[in-house]
Amino acid sequence: MFGRPKSIRLLREDIVRFMEMREIGARQILVYMGHLHKDLKKKDKADYFSFVDLGNIPTCPIGTDGRDLSQHIADQLEAVCRDNICLIPYNIRYHWILTIVNEDKNMIYLLDSTSNRIRDDTWKTIVTNGVKMYNASKGISKGPGFKILTGNLKQSGSVECGYCVMRYMKEMVDCDDPQLEKMVSFFLG
């Protein structure tokens, strides 16, 4: 799934937290990504979507210049991208967002389950620089476009963001039309 084998261990506490719809972490999202990847393989759509191992991308880049994180993203894209759509869940200041890299269109989308959230340009810069590094390794000089989307699936409280990110990923991989721009219509409501 990430271009290499990976095992994840869920603790009993992780499962209970998920069942009780409490705040979830990276382990639960990684397991869910594994489920989606297996489902994509069954449907023979695994070559169209890829997932970035969020365990290799440290969270909350506050106080750093972001070069190391951008390089992590470039390395992950190198390992998994094959002219497809790459999904990157990311936790920024205790809030999950979904970053979508459409390599074919050289476009980055950021999906957020809150409409009034203060945007953090640090993550945008880190992802954009990571894609630029990846593009440079492929001989592409044009920088990627960037678009922030507010999903029509809104969180009602303070802990649903992880569940919204999982739903966004599910809706994308379940979409029959492999055109990302048409999938995005789901998020715009």
Side-chain angles (χ1 to χ4, degrees):
M1 179 165 93
F2 301 124
R4 62 178 164 39
K6 178 166 181 104
S7 64
I8 303 159
R9 294 183 184 189
L10 282 179
L11 304 173
R12 182 178 187 277
E13 169 188 317
D14 295 327
I15 296 167
V16 170
R17 181 175 290 276
F18 189 81
M19 290 172 36
E20 293 176 350
M21 293 291 292
R22 291 188 288 152
E23 185 176 2
I24 58 172
R27 286 190 304 260
Q28 291 97 334
I29 292 176
L30 281 167
V31 168
Y32 190 71
M33 289 166 52
H35 165 74
L36 291 176
H37 183 71
K38 284 180 185 176
D39 195 40
L40 284 168
K41 285 174 81 172
K42 285 180 190 173
K43 295 177 182 176
D44 203 26
K45 290 173 56 176
D47 288 340
Y48 193 71
F49 289 95
S50 59
F51 301 90
V52 168
D53 182 356
L54 56 113
N56 283 353
I57 301 174
T59 59
C60 298
I62 308 309
T64 68
D65 63 7
R67 281 188 218 137
D68 291 340
L69 295 176
S70 294
Q71 188 61 55
H72 278 300
I73 290 170
D75 293 344
Q76 289 290 295
L77 291 173
E78 185 71 37
V80 299
C81 269
R82 296 167 301 278
D83 294 329
N84 61 10
I85 296 170
C86 187
L87 305 175
I88 310 170
Y90 186 72
N91 190 302
I92 187 161
R93 293 192 184 119
Y94 306 103
H95 178 68
W96 286 101
I97 57 175
L98 180 63
T99 306
I100 305 159
V101 177
N102 186 347
E103 184 182 353
D104 184 43
K105 303 283 187 198
N106 198 25
M107 188 71 179
I108 302 167
Y109 298 94
L110 182 111
L111 272 167
D112 192 344
S113 59
T114 59
S115 57
N116 59 353
R117 185 153 182 86
I118 298 171
R119 305 287 180 213
D120 186 336
D121 286 336
T122 306
W123 177 243
K124 175 184 174 182
T125 302
I126 289 168
V127 172
T128 301
N129 288 340
V131 174
K132 283 180 183 178
M133 289 175 182
Y134 172 73
N135 284 349
S137 74
K138 298 294 183 194
I140 301 168
S141 59
K142 184 180 176 190
F146 196 94
K147 191 171 192 176
I148 296 175
L149 305 173
T150 303
N152 69 357
L153 175 63
K154 304 276 190 247
Q155 63 183 82
S156 58
S158 62
V159 298
E160 293 89 357
C161 54
Y163 299 97
C164 289
V165 163
M166 291 191 303
R167 173 77 185 273
Y168 292 152
M169 290 189 295
K170 180 178 178 11
E171 293 295 333
M172 291 190 74
V173 301
D174 283 350
C175 185
D176 289 331
D177 190 341
Q179 297 293 322
L180 180 63
E181 285 71 23
K182 291 183 182 176
M183 287 182 215
V184 166
S185 67
F186 164 79
F187 304 112
L188 298 175

